[in-house]
Amino acid sequence: MARIPELHLVASLLFALPALLCACAGTPPPAPPVAAAAPAPPAVDDPHSSARPQEVAVEHLALDLTVDFDRKQLAGRASLRLRNPAGATRLYLDTRDLEIRRVLLDSGTEARFTLGDPQPHLGRELAVEIAPGTRTVHVDYATSPEAAALQWLEPRQTSGEQPFLFTQSQAILARTWIPLQDTPGVRATYEATIRVPPGFLALMSAENPTAKSADGVYRFRMPQPVPSYLLALAVGDLAFRPLGDRAGVYAEPAVVERAAWELADTPKMIQAAEKLYGPYRWGRYDVLVLPPSFPFGGMENPRLTFATPTILAGDRSLVALVAHELAHSWSGNLVTNATWNDFWLNEGFTVYFENRIMEAIYGRPYSEMLAALGRGDLLETIEELGAESPDTRLKLDLAGRDPDDGVTDVAYDKGYLLLRRIEEVVGRPRFDKFLRSYFERHAFGSMDTETFLGLLDRELLAEQAELRDEVRQWVYQPGLPATAPQPRADAFAKVEAQAQAFAAGTAAAALQTQGWSTHEWLHFLRSLPSPVAADRMADLDQTFKLSESGNSEVLAAWLEKVIASSYAPAYPALERFLTGMGRRKFLQPLYTALAKSPAGAELALRIYEKARPGYHAVSRQTIDKILDWRG
């Protein structure tokens, strides 16, 4: 996941005849052979799941779902093939806000099941009685219109004025659209039949079509085992453009050409990544550019990254996000954090890998600017959380909390700086050899922090006791160690000089900004004092047209300065931005700044009341807390 702060009428018949949701009533067809066996789950308890995979684990999922835009509902069957070597007699699954209609065993025997009491964040445990020899469990069910993973977009929210559906399963939202073992420690292969209205294209984190089906029926196959949070579905009026032999981009027809141009360097990124850490193991790498309400910058669904349209800056300046999601094809998708307490193993590795890709393609000065901005974001996050906060540790304790609470710059940028520190001490050649071996030997498996530290000790730090101790300080202690690397972005010194000149009274038109990248503009805006006088804000805006910027990163940074300076002439631009997209990375700081501003709290509530229906549940949950939203 991209760094942050950064889913008809025939349904009425299906309700009465749930057996019709499968290829045949009562007796589903056997699953076809799969290309890879799901590995045994790790012996690590997940506080965010009711599953007991050490007793019985799901190794393959077969879905047959109908997409109903009118009801805002998915309805159908999930068939779960089990691995049960010890002969367990009960299967535990995770659900949240699902209507469980019936459960069948193997060839159609009715199964007894119970639903537990709802638990905050976790939903309801589904316990199914099985026989020791039960091979497959079939669950007929339907989703709620308020399912947190699903965003149902109205036609007015899309460029083609057609309804649209997309899912967001990370961290524990897969259980809101599929009954399953919703923990990153369980991996399963999957297949799916998805039925949509004619005229729409359905896509999944699987082998995908590139053209619409005449009858609206699509069949998918994912032969590599994946954790539940990487299950993804999107349905809409979509078109496809190739970006080479094994990469391409999907988007709405009005957006697809612009998206294809913006992402033209994707094949180069794949080549650079493979050169660093081994072959890409997922077949194709395609990107789906979603409508603006998508809550994240990107989501690393295997074979099909979901991306925000805010990366379409028109100058390819924001494609580091694609490098990040591509890097997840190794760190996260290939080797996955065993629980959400180990989230840094996904994201810290991915930021490190992302920066190495960007360095390989665009050069060290470019990647150092990215690293410097990330370090600055991290310091702000640590200051906000408190230097002694346990949430500034890499290994988290999120029991009893929403794992989304752990999605901060700490996992991303503190994790990155730790890996960079190790690289600087042991040398890049040795560290690259270790990482490449790590991805190869643990492919399609899960990893927890303690197991990783043991590997690191034995294979890389055996003779460096001091560094071994330091690594544990990074992982288990709050704050940022004094040994944290300091990225050297030489270009930023010139930017800071221009910021100082402007603060001293130099007119905006006299500043030396020619050829600045997005990163230099971000650093400039962040280097300005707060507040800035109204006449000086007007000078900046009139000279550089910042309120009209098509670059979402620059515009968001400018709007933060607008709020801090109470610069009312730019408030219409602020409202357009907050009502025009739903990316949480931008929403969170802007609403936070408004809420803290004496003149901004009322404005924030007025804008949010208008914008909230178009935001994904992930974004709504965050902003509701910031504004103490009561509806």
Side-chain angles (χ1 to χ4, degrees):
M1 182 166 61
R3 69 181 75 197
I4 61 157
E6 349 30 86
L7 192 112
H8 281 57
L9 296 178
V10 295
S12 59
L13 175 61
L14 296 178
F15 293 159
L17 299 173
L20 293 179
L21 297 170
C22 296
C24 57
T27 306
V34 296
V44 178
D45 290 331
D46 184 347
H48 298 109
S49 175
S50 298
R52 303 180 189 180
Q54 289 79 23
E55 298 175 10
V56 55
V58 175
E59 64 178 9
H60 182 75
L61 167 68
L63 291 172
D64 193 320
L65 298 175
T66 294
V67 177
D68 189 330
F69 281 104
D70 294 331
R71 293 180 177 271
K72 296 184 178 179
Q73 186 180 70
L74 304 178
R77 172 172 287 185
S79 298
L80 310 169
R81 193 174 71 210
L82 308 181
R83 180 172 57 248
N84 187 8
T89 57
R90 187 162 293 190
L91 170 68
Y92 294 93
L93 302 174
D94 296 301
T95 77
R96 178 177 156 191
D97 299 329
L98 294 181
E99 177 192 346
I100 305 301
R101 294 172 170 170
R102 68 172 180 174
V103 181
L104 305 175
L105 304 182
D106 289 325
S107 61
T109 304
E110 290 271 358
R112 297 179 62 183
F113 67 90
T114 58
L115 279 167
D117 294 331
Q119 301 296 319
H121 313 304
L122 304 182
R124 305 177 71 184
E125 173 188 274
L126 172 60
V128 180
E129 295 185 14
I130 62 175
T134 298
R135 184 61 172 153
T136 306
V137 170
H138 311 282
V139 184
D140 291 339
Y141 71 100
T143 64
S144 163
E146 290 77 38
L150 308 178
Q151 184 157 24
W152 301 89
L153 301 182
E154 300 295 334
R156 60 180 174 79
Q157 295 176 276
T158 67
S159 63
E161 297 190 351
Q162 295 287 337
F164 200 104
L165 164 68
F166 67 84
T167 66
Q168 172 55 40
S169 295
Q170 193 177 23
I172 56 170
L173 299 182
R175 66 191 67 181
T176 71
W177 67 288
I178 307 171
L180 75 180
Q181 295 179 316
D182 194 11
T183 168
V186 172
R187 304 176 75 100
T189 54
Y190 82 88
E191 63 189 288
T193 298
I194 305 295
R195 308 169 193 277
V196 307
F200 289 84
L201 181 65
L203 302 170
M204 296 193 76
S205 51
E207 297 172 346
N208 278 303
T210 58
K212 296 173 182 176
S213 166
D215 60 1
V217 178
Y218 297 89
R219 291 178 175 82
F220 301 91
R221 177 175 173 269
M222 170 50 82
Q224 295 95 342
V226 297
S228 56
Y229 76 90
L230 294 178
L231 293 165
L233 169 67
V235 181
D237 181 14
L238 294 165
F240 174 79
R241 296 292 182 273
L243 299 175
D245 293 338
R246 52 179 175 158
V249 60
Y250 296 87
E252 293 184 85
V255 178
V256 71
E257 297 296 346
R258 185 158 55 102
W261 183 90
E262 200 85 27
L263 305 183
D265 284 343
T266 300
K268 294 180 184 178
M269 293 182 181
I270 298 172
Q271 293 171 3
E274 290 184 315
K275 186 174 181 181
L276 284 166
Y277 298 129
Y280 179 76
R281 304 281 290 273
W282 302 93
R284 291 188 56 83
Y285 180 78
D286 295 322
V287 179
L288 169 60
V289 178
L290 287 164
S293 60
F294 183 55
F296 299 116
M299 181 61 212
E300 62 272 16
N301 304 310
R303 295 177 182 258
L304 188 67
T305 282
F306 282 11
T308 170
T310 63
I311 65 171
L312 305 181
D315 60 3
R316 298 176 180 159
S317 62
L318 302 181
V319 295
L321 181 140
V322 176
H324 182 93
E325 305 309 330
L326 171 64
H328 266 305
S329 301
W330 287 259
S331 50
N333 296 8
L334 197 60
V335 184
T336 307
N337 49 220
T339 75
W340 298 112
N341 290 331
D342 308 294
F343 185 54
W344 78 277
L345 291 176
N346 275 22
E347 297 297 351
F349 278 66
T350 298
V351 174
Y352 177 85
F353 198 169
E354 165 200 346
N355 279 32
R356 292 293 302 278
I357 293 172
M358 298 305 286
E359 178 184 334
I361 296 176
Y362 302 110
R364 179 78 170 183
Y366 190 96
S367 65
E368 283 294 88
M369 286 193 288
L370 289 172
L373 290 171
R375 195 181 197 277
D377 291 339
L378 174 62
L379 292 175
E380 288 184 11
T381 297
I382 291 175
E383 181 179 0
E384 178 183 336
L385 294 172
E388 297 303 315
S389 168
D391 285 350
T392 65
R393 301 176 301 188
L394 288 178
K395 178 62 183 283
L396 296 171
D397 181 4
L398 297 170
R401 300 168 62 189
D402 190 329
D404 203 44
D405 291 348
V407 183
T408 74
D409 291 310
V410 173
Y412 292 75
D413 292 301
K414 184 178 179 181
Y416 160 74
L417 289 172
L418 168 57
L419 298 183
R420 178 163 169 163
R421 168 67 175 163
I422 296 171
E423 176 212 299
E424 291 178 353
V425 173
V426 305
R428 178 171 283 189
R430 285 187 64 204
F431 193 51
D432 279 351
K433 182 178 179 181
F434 168 78
L435 285 182
R436 185 167 185 138
S437 175
Y438 171 75
F439 292 132
E440 289 175 351
R441 290 186 293 115
H442 301 281
F444 303 109
S446 299
M447 181 63 58
D448 63 275
T449 297
E450 287 65 36
T451 301
F452 172 73
L453 294 180
L455 292 171
L456 192 68
D457 289 350
R458 293 191 301 272
E459 299 175 15
L460 195 63
L461 308 180
E463 299 178 1
Q464 294 177 292
E466 185 174 335
L467 184 56
R468 292 203 304 272
D469 293 340
E470 181 187 330
V471 167
R472 279 158 177 77
Q473 178 188 355
W474 278 84
V475 171
Y476 296 114
Q477 296 301 315
L480 187 64
T483 55
Q486 293 269 8
R488 289 192 56 184
D490 295 336
F492 283 176
K494 298 177 182 178
V495 172
E496 290 163 7
Q498 296 305 301
Q500 292 166 5
F502 180 78
T506 299
L511 298 177
Q512 302 299 310
T513 64
Q514 294 82 3
W516 276 8
S517 67
T518 296
H519 317 303
E520 287 157 308
W521 276 110
L522 291 177
H523 191 63
F524 172 77
L525 291 169
R526 294 175 182 180
S527 299
L528 294 176
S530 288
V532 177
D535 63 324
R536 303 295 283 150
M537 290 289 286
D539 187 22
L540 282 173
D541 206 7
Q542 291 167 9
T543 302
F544 301 117
K545 308 299 181 187
L546 293 169
S547 293
E548 304 169 21
S549 176
N551 185 309
S552 58
E553 295 280 354
V554 173
L555 180 56
W558 164 248
L559 293 174
E560 286 192 58
K561 195 64 64 178
V562 164
I563 297 170
S565 304
S566 299
Y567 182 58
Y571 285 177
L574 173 63
E575 182 167 348
R576 286 194 301 272
F577 189 67
L578 290 175
T579 57
M581 64 88 217
R583 186 176 176 185
R584 188 173 62 172
K585 171 186 175 179
F586 299 140
L587 300 179
Q588 184 170 359
L590 291 173
Y591 278 112
T592 298
L594 282 170
K596 293 178 178 179
S597 168
E602 184 177 343
L603 177 62
L605 289 171
R606 181 176 64 78
I607 294 175
Y608 188 49
E609 184 175 15
K610 182 189 299 184
R612 190 179 186 276
Y615 292 163
H616 189 277
V618 168
S619 294
R620 292 199 303 267
Q621 177 177 299
T622 297
I623 311 306
D624 283 354
K625 292 179 182 178
I626 293 172
L627 300 182
D628 193 25
W629 179 255
R630 293 289 187 267

